[in-house]
Amino acid sequence: MENKKCRIAIFASGEGSNAEAIVSHFANHNAIEVALMVCNKEKAGVYTRMEKWGIPCHYIDKKEWQPGSTGQQVLDLMRNEGVDRIVLAGFLAYIPETIVHTYEGRIVNIHPSLLPKYGGKGMWGHHVHEAVIANREAVSGITIHHVTEKLDDGGIIFQAQCQVLPDETPESLATRIHQLEHEHYPRIIEQLGMMDV
Ligand code: GAR
């Protein structure tokens, strides 16, 4: 009998380029599969990207993503779908502590800066790149880290750097950061997922 694959749930809120890089990486993988995608927005680019690959999409509205929420709807979905690991890929909502605790050590995030720099409340997407450029940083990069109840604070698994060029714009920096993310995030998730099989 075939061994059970490690089943991943991707949580995303926006364009979903990381989500797609991950799905594409595991499309024919013998030990890891993307089971589903969860989104906290009714409309987002990530739906089209997931549908193209036949990944089931679940919209879960904002009531679930509040401090004090039991997270039960998400936890039931994860249990019913046999999800082993959660991967945040541009997911911009608060994650209830019950979910973080249930998946402790098995929930990771990617952040578009070299944490602990440019992390915390309000620091996401283009806000990060704007702040990096405004502060005339010479380098920026990406951080893949464990998720804890404290925002952008979990143990760092991997970082990669890129230069911030003299004529950099938030858009040009975002493009290079995305390239780094797509290159490394699927590979790191694979290393983590292989620990389960
Ligand atoms: C990515 O750059 C990711 O690092 C960032 O949002 C972008 C999502 O892009 N995440 C955060 O800022 C989390 N604090 P995508 O939707 O194309 O994957």
Side-chain angles (χ1 to χ4, degrees):
M1 207 177 76
E2 234 183 75
N3 284 340
K4 182 190 170 294
K5 289 185 180 180
C6 167
R7 284 171 64 76
I8 288 175
I10 298 176
F11 288 15
S13 302
E15 192 44 48
S17 71
N18 277 288
E20 186 166 16
I22 295 161
V23 167
S24 148
H25 185 86
F26 293 113
N28 294 305
H29 201 281
N30 58 7
I32 300 170
E33 64 189 348
V34 176
L36 65 133
M37 189 278 295
V38 168
C39 186
N40 64 316
K41 300 273 178 203
E42 233 169 325
K43 288 187 183 150
V46 67
Y47 289 108
T48 321
R49 291 181 188 258
M50 294 299 97
E51 279 156 12
K52 199 169 83 190
W53 290 89
I55 301 295
C57 297
H58 298 261
Y59 163 62
I60 298 189
D61 76 14
K62 63 174 187 247
K63 285 196 296 296
E64 186 81 349
W65 312 109
Q66 312 279 344
S69 157
T70 61
Q72 203 54 51
Q73 196 185 341
V74 172
L75 286 172
D76 287 347
L77 177 63
M78 299 297 110
R79 197 187 50 240
N80 292 341
E81 293 291 334
V83 168
D84 301 297
R85 288 183 177 267
I86 296 175
V87 165
L88 310 184
F91 188 70
L92 300 177
Y94 171 86
I95 303 196
E97 284 182 15
T98 50
I99 300 173
V100 173
H101 291 154
T102 304
Y103 278 88
E104 196 178 345
R106 295 180 293 136
I107 172 166
V108 289
N109 181 41
I110 191 158
H111 187 80
S113 77
L114 296 170
L115 289 174
K117 283 186 150 188
Y118 304 101
K121 206 166 185 312
M123 278 293 152
W124 54 270
H126 65 97
H127 299 291
V128 173
H129 308 314
E130 282 162 10
V132 164
I133 291 168
N135 287 340
R136 301 184 182 282
E137 298 281 1
V139 292
S140 189
I142 62 167
T143 303
I144 298 167
H145 65 94
H146 292 290
V147 173
T148 62
E149 59 274 23
K150 219 169 143 204
L151 187 61
D152 298 333
D153 198 53
I156 292 175
I157 301 165
F158 176 84
Q159 292 187 306
Q161 294 191 353
C162 65
Q163 277 190 300
V164 182
L165 304 174
D167 58 350
E168 201 78 80
T169 64
E171 293 73 28
S172 64
L173 185 54
T175 301
R176 289 213 314 293
I177 292 281
H178 268 122
Q179 282 165 359
L180 275 184
E181 294 183 330
H182 302 163
E183 181 185 343
H184 295 290
Y185 205 17
R187 181 176 79 66
I188 298 293
I189 295 165
E190 184 171 9
Q191 286 172 12
L192 296 170
M194 290 308 286
M195 298 195 296
D196 296 344
V197 292

